[in-house]
Amino acid sequence: MEVRSMREALQVHAQLVKLGTPRNDSSRNLSNLFTFAALSPAGDLNYARLLLSSIPGLNSYYYNTLIRAYSQTSNPNHQFHALSLFLSMLQQNNFPSPDNFTFPFLLKCCARLKLSPQGKQLHALITKLCFASDLYIQNALIHMYSEFADSASARVLFDTMPLRDVVSWTSMIDGLVNNDRPVEAIDLFERMLEAGVEVNEATVTSVLRACADSGALSMGRKVHGIVKERGFCSMSNVTTALVDMYAKSGCIESASKVFHHAVDKHVFLWTAMISALASHGLCKEAVDLFLEMEKSQVKPDERTVTAVLSACRNAGLVHDGYLFFNNVQKLYGIKPTIQHFGCLVDLLARAGRLKEAEDFINTMPIEPDAVLWRTLIWACKVHGDIDRAQRLMKRLELQGMSADDGGSYILASNVYASVGKWCNKAEVRELMNKKGLVKPPGCSRIEVDGGVHEFVMGDYNHPEADKIFVQLDMMVDKLREEGYNPKVSEVLLEIDDEEKAVQLLHHSEKLALAYGLIRTGQGSTIRIVKNLRSCEDCHEFMKLISKIYQRDIIVRDRIRFHHFENGGCSCKDYW
């Protein structure tokens, strides 16, 4: 009996009920109907659930099949249905216990729903029923703990596995990347290669993300070699990851080469390339590529629109920004998202059109979030409109900053400090301490000789710290000859100017730069990745160093790329 649609399935079921068939035939036919309803794209999960109660001689196959079907949808309610079905399975009298096929899909549901307590309970039951050594279950557990941001538990499981397949390695690497541990992910990938495990496209995609996040260009190039060797170049997710890796490693030319050589240019690849050009300050090229994409009959999605609006924002293209924003719904059928509104607000705010930006927020058809207000408040601080900043800060406070909205508290602290209101700043910081909110420390990474070195502000823990601080002093002496004066206004602490100058000198990207000058040869490009936005002092510092030392320096901060060359920057001091 072959069924191709739910209409046919219902007709067959009606015939079975109307005519009646021998018990064995009826059971077999119902089983076939159930499998179609549960697993076929043309099926119906609600119908499969109803059939479950009418099939004689139920065994674990039926429960496992429906649990699997629920787990494979994107509907959160279906994930809950899978878990409730499992509970009803356990409550059946004289029913076989769950088997090793039951748990991987349940663990997947817990991972998607971020149900940590339930996931741990399942892990305990798995151990009790002696399924803990099953490879598929172990892989599912690694994925689940990674989704819970519990990389430590995932790593313990991985390290104690007697046998690992490519899924085990890939799940662990992907989990480390998702939990902001890209350097560990790269180290694990190298172990995987040494173990002789054959990688697949999912593995290289994950490790390329790790290379992008950490700025590990040499490893990224090595992975690109593997991609060519294994014939993964035609896979859309791999080419997109390659473009993203090269772009985020500061090699926009290599990213462009991968893009232009790609045969199948899908929307994700176009979006990645447009975003790459925008982040590198090649904003006109990004806009032109977006227009070329339109001519190629590739329909943009929400992320593509965000990418082209980001290009307008980074170059101050207010007219173009309005044009693209207004075309979002009219031409592309895309309802503007909060990210699209945010790009336009940021564009107006950076251009100094603060009142226009505020009016735009007030007339938005959707509720503005804290990020939008913070964007405008920060621009008010940059442009010296402190009165507006303080008024908007009070409005943000009245709207109620969420308990975990550390960014708003940090911004409030900085605004108060910028006008010397140290008592108000202290009150905000005390409130942050009470709520357990911590400002993320500035962190910079630099790749040298294939290894990624990480620095935080005033970092004395590096093995070559003494050499780094000596190099810093030498750099400052040369910069002062060129007229360098530290921008002490950037230090929002109640200390004297001399102490502020020391604070500025010990910023993480300056430490990374000093290390790069020590360890790399004349003529080679220094690439630094920072997790926060660059301050004005560091920006000026990099410009002067690029001129004095005749070195090209590429810094990726939280906002964009800065290519420093011979005393200038690609952002043209607009960021």
Side-chain angles (χ1 to χ4, degrees):
M1 177 191 65
E2 183 180 351
V3 176
R4 289 166 294 187
S5 68
M6 278 306 302
R7 182 177 180 180
E8 289 184 13
L10 292 170
Q11 289 173 343
V12 170
H13 195 182
Q15 289 294 319
L16 291 175
V17 173
K18 181 179 179 181
L19 301 176
T21 58
R23 180 178 177 84
N24 290 341
D25 290 345
S26 176
S27 178
R28 184 169 59 254
N29 289 331
L30 286 173
S31 178
N32 290 338
L33 287 175
F34 169 80
T35 303
F36 172 83
L39 299 181
S40 171
D44 184 333
L45 288 176
N46 291 328
Y47 181 66
R49 185 70 184 260
L50 288 172
L51 278 176
L52 194 66
S53 60
S54 61
I55 297 174
L58 279 177
N59 56 41
S60 60
Y61 163 79
Y62 296 100
Y63 282 91
N64 290 348
T65 299
L66 192 51
I67 288 170
R68 170 188 168 191
Y70 280 136
S71 73
Q72 291 175 336
T73 75
S74 58
N75 186 340
N77 289 330
H78 287 166
Q79 318 296 316
F80 282 112
H81 288 335
L83 295 171
S84 66
L85 184 60
F86 174 67
L87 291 177
S88 69
M89 175 184 180
L90 295 179
Q91 292 166 0
Q92 299 294 324
N93 293 325
N94 302 318
F95 191 79
S97 296
D99 55 32
N100 57 321
F101 294 105
T102 313
F103 292 104
F105 302 112
L106 292 169
L107 295 170
K108 183 178 179 181
C109 292
C110 289
R112 282 193 179 178
L113 297 169
K114 300 292 190 290
L115 298 176
S116 180
Q118 290 83 351
K120 290 176 180 177
Q121 287 174 354
L122 280 174
H123 191 178
L125 182 58
I126 286 164
T127 303
K128 181 180 177 181
L129 297 177
C130 300
F131 293 129
S133 60
D134 183 90
L135 180 61
Y136 297 103
I137 291 176
Q138 289 174 324
N139 289 342
L141 283 167
I142 289 170
H143 171 73
M144 182 190 74
Y145 280 115
S146 296
E147 288 295 302
F148 295 161
D150 187 357
S151 294
S153 294
R155 190 60 189 264
V156 168
L157 275 166
F158 178 83
D159 288 340
T160 55
M161 289 174 70
L163 294 173
R164 306 184 188 100
D165 62 5
V166 64
V167 177
S168 314
W169 290 90
T170 302
S171 296
M172 192 65 244
I173 290 168
D174 196 57
L176 290 169
V177 178
N178 290 339
N179 287 293
D180 196 28
R181 294 164 75 169
V183 177
E184 286 183 54
I186 292 169
D187 290 341
L188 191 62
F189 177 70
E190 290 187 291
R191 278 185 53 198
M192 180 181 181
L193 295 179
E194 290 168 3
V197 181
E198 189 166 331
V199 303
N200 59 23
E201 65 271 21
T203 317
V204 296
T205 301
S206 293
V207 79
L208 284 170
R209 287 174 52 223
C211 295
D213 290 348
S214 62
L217 178 60
S218 62
M219 176 54 75
R221 285 177 171 150
K222 181 177 179 179
V223 176
H224 192 179
I226 294 172
V227 166
K228 291 177 181 177
E229 180 186 315
R230 302 290 168 86
F232 297 152
C233 292
S234 61
M235 296 178 177
S236 58
N237 57 333
V238 176
T239 52
T240 303
L242 279 168
V243 166
D244 188 56
M245 181 277 296
Y246 277 123
K248 288 181 178 176
S249 299
C251 293
I252 192 66
E253 298 85 1
S254 297
S256 182
K257 190 179 294 185
V258 171
F259 173 79
H260 288 295
H261 285 169
V263 177
D264 178 23
K265 291 188 176 69
H266 47 88
V267 65
F268 305 113
L269 186 59
W270 285 96
T271 300
M273 194 64 230
I274 293 167
S275 181
L277 291 167
S279 67
H280 280 266
L282 300 169
C283 301
K284 182 182 182 303
E285 290 86 344
V287 170
D288 289 344
L289 190 63
F290 179 80
L291 297 175
E292 183 184 332
M293 176 185 173
E294 286 185 315
K295 291 178 184 176
S296 300
Q297 303 297 309
V298 178
K299 184 181 177 182
D301 61 12
E302 290 180 1
R303 292 184 180 182
T304 321
V305 176
T306 301
V308 75
L309 288 176
S310 297
C312 297
R313 174 195 65 194
N314 288 347
L317 304 174
V318 175
H319 173 76
D320 290 335
Y322 269 124
L323 182 66
F324 288 123
F325 182 85
N326 291 328
N327 283 340
V328 165
Q329 196 161 3
K330 185 169 63 176
L331 296 182
Y332 315 133
I334 300 172
K335 187 176 181 181
T337 66
I338 193 70
Q339 286 78 19
H340 300 150
F341 285 106
C343 283
L344 200 58
V345 169
D346 200 8
L347 169 59
L348 294 171
R350 289 195 201 191
R353 295 162 72 158
L354 304 175
K355 183 180 184 305
E356 191 175 343
E358 184 178 356
D359 291 342
F360 181 81
I361 294 176
N362 288 328
T363 56
M364 281 169 46
I366 58 178
E367 186 71 22
D369 61 9
V371 176
L372 274 181
W373 289 116
R374 289 207 304 259
T375 298
L376 181 54
I377 293 166
W378 180 259
C380 292
K381 176 182 171 296
V382 170
H383 289 284
D385 193 345
I386 301 301
D387 290 340
R388 187 187 302 273
Q390 290 183 284
R391 175 171 58 79
L392 294 176
M393 196 69 245
K394 289 178 182 176
R395 178 170 181 172
L396 182 58
E397 290 171 355
L398 286 172
Q399 284 185 338
M401 295 185 287
S402 64
D404 59 350
D405 183 16
S408 294
Y409 290 98
I410 292 165
L411 179 57
S413 169
N414 290 342
V415 169
Y416 289 134
S418 67
V419 291
K421 294 188 175 182
W422 303 109
C423 291
N424 296 93
K425 176 186 174 177
E427 289 173 1
V428 172
R429 289 292 181 175
E430 186 178 350
L431 188 57
M432 285 180 67
N433 290 335
K434 286 181 180 178
K435 292 178 178 289
L437 300 173
V438 180
K439 179 182 177 181
C443 169
S444 296
R445 294 173 177 138
I446 182 171
E447 185 187 44
V448 175
D449 296 333
V452 177
H453 298 257
E454 191 171 271
F455 296 90
V456 294
M457 182 175 172
D459 195 344
Y460 287 92
N461 294 321
H462 194 276
E464 298 182 64
D466 290 342
K467 291 180 182 178
I468 291 169
F469 284 101
V470 169
Q471 177 71 26
L472 268 179
D473 290 338
M474 291 168 56
M475 291 158 64
V476 170
D477 289 341
K478 290 188 177 184
L479 260 60
R480 282 176 179 153
E481 293 174 7
E482 293 288 325
Y484 166 70
N485 284 310
K487 294 182 181 295
V488 293
S489 60
E490 289 284 301
V491 181
L492 302 177
L493 298 172
E494 196 174 8
I495 54 178
D496 61 39
D497 285 356
E498 186 175 343
E499 288 178 289
K500 287 182 178 181
V502 173
Q503 288 268 337
L504 287 172
L505 184 60
H506 291 175
H507 278 190
S508 63
E509 58 263 61
K510 291 187 177 112
L511 298 177
L513 175 61
Y515 187 63
L517 288 172
I518 292 170
R519 293 291 306 276
T520 61
Q522 185 65 34
S524 60
T525 300
I526 295 174
R527 292 180 169 85
I528 298 168
V529 176
K530 187 182 179 184
N531 65 330
L532 302 177
R533 184 175 181 172
S534 289
C535 73
E536 286 188 44
D537 184 76
C538 285
H539 193 264
E540 189 64 24
F541 194 94
M542 297 285 174
K543 284 165 62 177
L544 289 171
I545 289 292
S546 73
K547 177 182 177 182
I548 294 168
Y549 286 81
Q550 284 298 293
R551 299 290 292 271
D552 289 352
I553 304 165
I554 301 176
V555 177
R556 183 181 104 205
D557 70 8
R558 186 175 58 83
I559 303 295
R560 60 179 297 166
F561 276 86
H562 300 268
H563 293 243
F564 300 96
E565 183 180 1
N566 198 30
C569 180
S570 59
C571 74
K572 298 179 177 59
D573 299 335
Y574 186 87
W575 90 98

